[in-house]
Amino acid sequence: MFRDRQEAGEKLGTELGTLQLRQPVVLALPRGGVPVAVEVAKALGAPLDLLIVRKVGAPGNPELAVAAIVDGDPPDIVLNREIVEAYSLDNTDLDALIALERPELERRRSAYRGKRRRLSVAGKTVIIVDDGAATGTTMKAAIRALKRRSPREIIVAIPVSPQDTMADLAREADRVVCLSQPGRFRALGYHYLCFPQLDDDEVIAAMDEAVQSREKPASTEIRSAPQGRPEKQRREE
């Protein structure tokens, strides 16, 4: 059990730090993955960005995903072929369902990212981070979309997940790192002592803080005294 998302991220960062990753880029799945990913990025000294995934629900059953929209330029559409076929959906049906979810994806992109440019993942080691994975549906969509963007490697990094979900994700990603795979997986919140729901403002604040922390200079430049005047004398004037 983890104390909170921050502790989970610290432990994930320590584990990932042993892998000697080349050019890592950390991508957080909002909302819950953001505080975890912030700590992972700190531990690795890696840039941090968001990967926004919006589920497209089946007609009359919005919790069942027929597809997912993954933010990008342009966004990627990842289909759940089995569900599409089960509902006998044609391209017109899918386009209509996807169109319903695009506004929320665009709202989140605008709110979370602001004017920050999306990080390129081409040739990089991409680490996708969330606070856990129950079914892995969102993570699968993220992996499949990222494969189209030519990364060097895709690593899934999550604190806790059922064993069967991790086995599924291991078939999708190049590597998976999961700290806990309990035999009896309950709701995700049962594996954290403190597991509050996050709102948009908290996501934005966490990302802003992470970006500002990375942009701070490592040290403050010390100005030298003009020639011919000892530094001690200048301080006493």
Side-chain angles (χ1 to χ4, degrees):
M1 180 173 287
F2 302 98
R3 183 180 66 247
D4 53 22
R5 291 181 177 94
Q6 284 73 24
E7 182 191 57
E10 291 168 2
K11 290 183 175 180
L12 265 181
T14 299
E15 185 71 17
L16 288 161
T18 67
L19 301 181
Q20 299 182 335
L21 304 174
R22 297 179 62 185
Q23 294 183 291
V25 173
V26 178
L27 300 183
L29 295 180
R31 300 184 178 95
V34 172
V36 183
V38 166
E39 300 304 324
V40 169
K42 283 181 186 177
L44 299 179
L48 172 66
D49 203 353
L50 296 171
L51 187 62
I52 305 170
V53 181
R54 183 68 180 172
K55 178 173 65 179
V56 178
N61 189 358
E63 294 305 313
L64 182 63
V66 298
I69 314 173
V70 182
D71 188 33
D73 187 19
D76 285 287
I77 308 298
V78 180
L79 299 180
N80 187 338
R81 298 283 181 186
E82 292 182 0
I83 305 301
V84 170
E85 291 174 4
Y87 277 78
S88 301
L89 300 174
D90 59 22
N91 289 339
T92 301
D93 298 326
L94 287 170
D95 289 345
L97 292 170
I98 291 167
L100 291 175
E101 300 301 334
R102 280 189 182 273
E104 178 59 18
L105 180 78
E106 292 169 1
R107 185 199 70 79
R108 292 190 181 192
R109 177 202 300 143
S110 177
Y112 297 164
R113 189 181 300 283
K115 295 182 179 180
R116 287 195 296 268
R117 296 182 61 182
R118 186 181 297 103
L119 294 179
S120 171
V121 300
K124 307 293 179 59
T125 299
V126 179
I127 305 167
I128 315 173
V129 179
D130 206 351
D131 55 6
T135 65
T137 301
T138 299
M139 187 65 78
K140 285 181 185 177
I143 296 168
R144 292 173 185 178
L146 286 172
K147 284 180 178 178
R148 303 170 185 173
R149 304 178 191 180
S150 305
R152 177 195 305 274
E153 182 180 19
I154 297 176
I155 299 174
V156 169
I158 47 180
V160 58
S161 176
Q163 295 175 5
D164 55 350
T165 297
M166 286 310 302
D168 285 344
L169 293 177
R171 288 188 283 269
E172 299 278 348
D174 296 297
R175 282 193 269 185
V176 295
V177 175
C178 181
L179 302 178
S180 175
Q181 299 180 52
R184 184 185 178 191
F185 186 89
R186 304 173 71 183
L188 189 55
Y190 282 100
H191 302 280
Y192 289 84
L193 291 175
C194 179
F195 194 70
Q197 294 297 312
L198 303 179
D199 60 27
D200 287 352
D201 289 341
E202 289 170 305
V203 170
I204 295 165
M207 290 300 298
D208 286 345
E209 182 179 353
V211 171
Q212 290 171 9
S213 176
R214 184 171 173 79
E215 290 176 348
K216 284 181 181 178
S219 60
T220 303
E221 181 183 359
I222 300 175
R223 296 177 62 187
S224 59
Q227 292 184 357
R229 301 181 65 193
E231 180 68 10
K232 182 177 179 180
Q233 179 182 346
R234 290 181 64 241
R235 290 175 179 168
E236 293 176 347
E237 288 177 353

